[in-house]
Amino acid sequence: MLKIKALDIQIGDRIVAYCNNRMQICTVKSILDPGQTTITLSVFTAEHYRKSVLRVIRFRGDALVNLAS
């Protein structure tokens, strides 16, 4: 898996994050506060949007995040 800084996350990226009490792949729907010290992302928790749940995830701007392949 490739690691990137949280500040470099783009809409549509698939990331591995702790969500719903487990590590899972999430698709970034939107970036709620770009350029801040803490990055807040709105993500879908499944590959198919009809089955997925929208969640909010926060990272420190300098955190390293795993991109899913």
Side-chain angles (χ1 to χ4, degrees):
M1 280 189 229
L2 178 67
K3 289 187 182 239
I4 63 169
K5 280 190 173 183
L7 288 172
D8 297 330
I9 292 174
Q10 306 272 329
I11 293 171
D13 282 350
R14 296 178 66 227
I15 61 171
V16 178
Y18 190 77
C19 187
N20 293 339
N21 297 320
R22 64 188 176 107
M23 291 298 286
Q24 61 183 330
I25 295 174
C26 302
T27 303
V28 177
K29 177 184 180 279
S30 64
I31 301 169
L32 303 176
D33 60 352
Q36 302 297 319
T37 304
T38 302
I39 305 302
T40 305
L41 306 172
S42 172
V43 298
F44 287 113
T45 58
E47 186 114 0
H48 301 286
Y49 298 132
R50 290 183 184 189
K51 298 179 187 176
S52 67
V53 176
L54 186 64
R55 295 284 187 231
V56 172
I57 300 175
R58 290 182 178 83
F59 293 103
R60 287 183 35 195
D62 62 349
L64 291 178
V65 179
N66 287 322
L67 284 178
S69 48

